[in-house]
PDB file of all heavy atoms in Angstrom:
ATOM      1  N   LEU A1588      40.836  67.731 -26.487  1.00 98.00           N
ATOM      2  CA  LEU A1588      39.650  66.903 -26.515  1.00 98.00           C
ATOM      3  C   LEU A1588      39.083  66.753 -25.099  1.00 98.00           C
ATOM      4  O   LEU A1588      39.868  66.694 -24.105  1.00 98.00           O
ATOM      5  CB  LEU A1588      39.975  65.505 -27.086  1.00 98.00           C
ATOM      6  CG  LEU A1588      40.520  65.520 -28.542  1.00 98.00           C
ATOM      7  CD1 LEU A1588      40.892  64.101 -28.946  1.00 98.00           C
ATOM      8  CD2 LEU A1588      39.449  66.059 -29.478  1.00 98.00           C
ATOM      9  N   LYS A1589      37.754  66.566 -25.011  1.00 98.00           N
ATOM     10  CA  LYS A1589      37.127  66.532 -23.671  1.00 98.00           C
ATOM     11  C   LYS A1589      36.743  65.055 -23.336  1.00 98.00           C
ATOM     12  O   LYS A1589      36.478  64.263 -24.214  1.00 98.00           O
ATOM     13  CB  LYS A1589      35.924  67.425 -23.644  1.00 98.00           C
ATOM     14  CG  LYS A1589      36.285  68.876 -23.775  1.00 98.00           C
ATOM     15  CD  LYS A1589      35.093  69.779 -23.705  1.00 98.00           C
ATOM     16  CE  LYS A1589      35.482  71.266 -23.813  1.00 98.00           C
ATOM     17  NZ  LYS A1589      34.315  72.177 -23.669  1.00 98.00           N
ATOM     18  N   ILE A1590      36.710  64.819 -22.040  1.00 98.00           N
ATOM     19  CA  ILE A1590      36.340  63.467 -21.571  1.00 98.00           C
ATOM     20  C   ILE A1590      35.013  62.981 -22.152  1.00 98.00           C
ATOM     21  O   ILE A1590      34.884  61.873 -22.615  1.00 98.00           O
ATOM     22  CB  ILE A1590      36.362  63.399 -20.072  1.00 98.00           C
ATOM     23  CG1 ILE A1590      37.801  63.526 -19.521  1.00 98.00           C
ATOM     24  CG2 ILE A1590      35.693  62.156 -19.524  1.00 98.00           C
ATOM     25  CD1 ILE A1590      37.901  63.594 -18.007  1.00 98.00           C
ATOM     26  N   ASN A1591      34.017  63.891 -22.063  1.00 98.00           N
ATOM     27  CA  ASN A1591      32.700  63.430 -22.545  1.00 98.00           C
ATOM     28  C   ASN A1591      32.664  63.242 -24.075  1.00 98.00           C
ATOM     29  O   ASN A1591      31.874  62.445 -24.598  1.00 98.00           O
ATOM     30  CB  ASN A1591      31.577  64.394 -22.113  1.00 98.00           C
ATOM     31  CG  ASN A1591      31.795  65.848 -22.566  1.00 98.00           C
ATOM     32  OD1 ASN A1591      32.808  66.139 -23.116  1.00 98.00           O
ATOM     33  ND2 ASN A1591      30.837  66.684 -22.284  1.00 98.00           N
ATOM     34  N   GLN A1592      33.545  63.877 -24.815  1.00 98.00           N
ATOM     35  CA  GLN A1592      33.646  63.668 -26.235  1.00 98.00           C
ATOM     36  C   GLN A1592      34.186  62.282 -26.544  1.00 98.00           C
ATOM     37  O   GLN A1592      33.783  61.597 -27.475  1.00 98.00           O
ATOM     38  CB  GLN A1592      34.500  64.738 -26.917  1.00 98.00           C
ATOM     39  CG  GLN A1592      33.905  66.090 -26.892  1.00 98.00           C
ATOM     40  CD  GLN A1592      34.854  67.188 -27.331  1.00 98.00           C
ATOM     41  OE1 GLN A1592      36.004  66.948 -27.638  1.00 98.00           O
ATOM     42  NE2 GLN A1592      34.366  68.472 -27.346  1.00 98.00           N
ATOM     43  N   LEU A1593      35.135  61.828 -25.703  1.00 98.00           N
ATOM     44  CA  LEU A1593      35.688  60.472 -25.838  1.00 98.00           C
ATOM     45  C   LEU A1593      34.571  59.468 -25.538  1.00 98.00           C
ATOM     46  O   LEU A1593      34.405  58.500 -26.259  1.00 98.00           O
ATOM     47  CB  LEU A1593      36.878  60.301 -24.899  1.00 98.00           C
ATOM     48  CG  LEU A1593      38.253  60.588 -25.407  1.00 98.00           C
ATOM     49  CD1 LEU A1593      38.346  61.994 -25.899  1.00 98.00           C
ATOM     50  CD2 LEU A1593      39.322  60.322 -24.305  1.00 98.00           C
ATOM     51  N   MET A1594      33.862  59.710 -24.477  1.00 98.00           N
ATOM     52  CA  MET A1594      32.791  58.819 -24.076  1.00 98.00           C
ATOM     53  C   MET A1594      31.679  58.713 -25.099  1.00 98.00           C
ATOM     54  O   MET A1594      31.108  57.674 -25.368  1.00 98.00           O
ATOM     55  CB  MET A1594      32.172  59.224 -22.744  1.00 98.00           C
ATOM     56  CG  MET A1594      33.140  59.200 -21.576  1.00 98.00           C
ATOM     57  SD  MET A1594      32.763  58.019 -20.280  1.00 98.00           S
ATOM     58  CE  MET A1594      32.442  56.523 -21.118  1.00 98.00           C
ATOM     59  N   GLY A1595      31.401  59.874 -25.768  1.00 98.00           N
ATOM     60  CA  GLY A1595      30.272  59.937 -26.747  1.00 98.00           C
ATOM     61  C   GLY A1595      30.661  59.679 -28.177  1.00 98.00           C
ATOM     62  O   GLY A1595      29.859  59.823 -29.084  1.00 98.00           O
ATOM     63  N   HIS A1596      31.969  59.352 -28.438  1.00 98.00           N
ATOM     64  CA  HIS A1596      32.433  59.036 -29.752  1.00 98.00           C
ATOM     65  C   HIS A1596      32.333  60.190 -30.750  1.00 98.00           C
ATOM     66  O   HIS A1596      32.000  60.066 -31.906  1.00 98.00           O
ATOM     67  CB  HIS A1596      31.711  57.804 -30.401  1.00 98.00           C
ATOM     68  CG  HIS A1596      31.738  56.577 -29.484  1.00 98.00           C
ATOM     69  ND1 HIS A1596      32.829  55.743 -29.410  1.00 98.00           N
ATOM     70  CD2 HIS A1596      30.839  56.060 -28.615  1.00 98.00           C
ATOM     71  CE1 HIS A1596      32.566  54.778 -28.557  1.00 98.00           C
ATOM     72  NE2 HIS A1596      31.378  54.937 -28.098  1.00 98.00           N
ATOM     73  N   THR A1597      32.624  61.367 -30.286  1.00 98.00           N
ATOM     74  CA  THR A1597      32.615  62.589 -31.106  1.00 98.00           C
ATOM     75  C   THR A1597      33.979  63.229 -31.229  1.00 98.00           C
ATOM     76  O   THR A1597      34.032  64.379 -31.661  1.00 98.00           O
ATOM     77  CB  THR A1597      31.548  63.588 -30.599  1.00 98.00           C
ATOM     78  OG1 THR A1597      31.991  64.128 -29.343  1.00 98.00           O
ATOM     79  CG2 THR A1597      30.163  62.945 -30.381  1.00 98.00           C
ATOM     80  N   SER A1598      34.996  62.535 -30.773  1.00 98.00           N
ATOM     81  CA  SER A1598      36.335  63.192 -30.641  1.00 98.00           C
ATOM     82  C   SER A1598      37.077  63.351 -31.979  1.00 98.00           C
ATOM     83  O   SER A1598      37.919  64.266 -32.104  1.00 98.00           O
ATOM     84  CB  SER A1598      37.185  62.362 -29.707  1.00 98.00           C
ATOM     85  OG  SER A1598      37.479  61.063 -30.305  1.00 98.00           O
ATOM     86  N   GLY A1599      36.808  62.514 -32.957  1.00 97.00           N
ATOM     87  CA  GLY A1599      37.618  62.546 -34.196  1.00 97.00           C
ATOM     88  C   GLY A1599      38.926  61.805 -34.084  1.00 97.00           C
ATOM     89  O   GLY A1599      39.752  61.881 -35.007  1.00 97.00           O
ATOM     90  N   LEU A1600      39.165  61.061 -33.009  1.00 98.00           N
ATOM     91  CA  LEU A1600      40.418  60.371 -32.854  1.00 98.00           C
ATOM     92  C   LEU A1600      40.588  59.277 -33.911  1.00 98.00           C
ATOM     93  O   LEU A1600      39.608  58.674 -34.333  1.00 98.00           O
ATOM     94  CB  LEU A1600      40.416  59.696 -31.454  1.00 98.00           C
ATOM     95  CG  LEU A1600      40.720  60.588 -30.237  1.00 98.00           C
ATOM     96  CD1 LEU A1600      40.333  59.852 -28.974  1.00 98.00           C
ATOM     97  CD2 LEU A1600      42.175  60.989 -30.208  1.00 98.00           C
ATOM     98  N   PRO A1601      41.854  58.990 -34.285  1.00 97.00           N
ATOM     99  CA  PRO A1601      42.081  57.881 -35.187  1.00 97.00           C
ATOM    100  C   PRO A1601      41.775  56.558 -34.446  1.00 97.00           C
ATOM    101  O   PRO A1601      41.855  56.534 -33.216  1.00 97.00           O
ATOM    102  CB  PRO A1601      43.575  57.985 -35.502  1.00 97.00           C
ATOM    103  CG  PRO A1601      44.144  58.759 -34.377  1.00 97.00           C
ATOM    104  CD  PRO A1601      43.067  59.704 -33.873  1.00 97.00           C
ATOM    105  N   GLU A1602      41.439  55.522 -35.191  1.00 96.00           N
ATOM    106  CA  GLU A1602      40.963  54.267 -34.596  1.00 96.00           C
ATOM    107  C   GLU A1602      42.132  53.310 -34.332  1.00 96.00           C
ATOM    108  O   GLU A1602      42.986  53.067 -35.196  1.00 96.00           O
ATOM    109  CB  GLU A1602      39.962  53.595 -35.534  1.00 96.00           C
ATOM    110  CG  GLU A1602      39.448  52.254 -35.054  1.00 96.00           C
ATOM    111  CD  GLU A1602      38.769  52.292 -33.703  1.00 96.00           C
ATOM    112  OE1 GLU A1602      37.595  52.661 -33.670  1.00 96.00           O
ATOM    113  OE2 GLU A1602      39.497  52.006 -32.725  1.00 96.00           O
ATOM    114  N   ILE A1603      42.197  52.789 -33.083  1.00 96.00           N
ATOM    115  CA  ILE A1603      43.302  51.872 -32.755  1.00 96.00           C
ATOM    116  C   ILE A1603      43.060  50.475 -33.221  1.00 96.00           C
ATOM    117  O   ILE A1603      44.017  49.646 -33.349  1.00 96.00           O
ATOM    118  CB  ILE A1603      43.474  51.863 -31.182  1.00 96.00           C
ATOM    119  CG1 ILE A1603      44.821  51.203 -30.818  1.00 96.00           C
ATOM    120  CG2 ILE A1603      42.328  51.167 -30.486  1.00 96.00           C
ATOM    121  CD1 ILE A1603      45.233  51.384 -29.398  1.00 96.00           C
ATOM    122  N   LEU A1604      41.771  50.101 -33.572  1.00 92.00           N
ATOM    123  CA  LEU A1604      41.529  48.798 -34.126  1.00 92.00           C
ATOM    124  C   LEU A1604      41.685  48.880 -35.666  1.00 92.00           C
ATOM    125  O   LEU A1604      41.108  49.764 -36.292  1.00 92.00           O
ATOM    126  CB  LEU A1604      40.091  48.346 -33.768  1.00 92.00           C
ATOM    127  CG  LEU A1604      39.840  47.904 -32.352  1.00 92.00           C
ATOM    128  CD1 LEU A1604      38.477  47.338 -32.158  1.00 92.00           C
ATOM    129  CD2 LEU A1604      40.874  46.851 -31.908  1.00 92.00           C
ATOM    130  N   ALA A1605      42.390  47.944 -36.214  1.00 83.00           N
ATOM    131  CA  ALA A1605      42.655  47.936 -37.623  1.00 83.00           C
ATOM    132  C   ALA A1605      41.380  47.603 -38.400  1.00 83.00           C
ATOM    133  O   ALA A1605      40.605  46.747 -37.965  1.00 83.00           O
ATOM    134  CB  ALA A1605      43.728  46.925 -37.951  1.00 83.00           C
ATOM    135  N   ALA A1606      41.159  48.293 -39.495  1.00 71.00           N
ATOM    136  CA  ALA A1606      39.999  48.020 -40.348  1.00 71.00           C
ATOM    137  C   ALA A1606      40.034  46.629 -40.912  1.00 71.00           C
ATOM    138  O   ALA A1606      41.092  46.091 -41.272  1.00 71.00           O
ATOM    139  CB  ALA A1606      39.930  49.057 -41.483  1.00 71.00           C
ATOM    140  N   ASN A1607      38.841  45.949 -40.929  1.00 56.00           N
ATOM    141  CA  ASN A1607      38.678  44.635 -41.510  1.00 56.00           C
ATOM    142  C   ASN A1607      39.534  43.566 -40.880  1.00 56.00           C
ATOM    143  O   ASN A1607      39.892  42.568 -41.495  1.00 56.00           O
ATOM    144  CB  ASN A1607      39.011  44.672 -43.044  1.00 56.00           C
ATOM    145  CG  ASN A1607      38.179  45.712 -43.782  1.00 56.00           C
ATOM    146  OD1 ASN A1607      36.985  45.848 -43.502  1.00 56.00           O
ATOM    147  ND2 ASN A1607      38.828  46.489 -44.656  1.00 56.00           N
TER     148      ASN A1607
END
Side-chain angles (χ1 to χ4, degrees):
L1588 298 175
K1589 296 182 178 181
I1590 289 174
N1591 58 355
Q1592 293 170 358
L1593 269 57
M1594 296 246 46
H1596 304 282
T1597 68
S1598 66
L1600 283 165
E1602 178 58 83
I1603 195 169
L1604 287 185
N1607 303 318

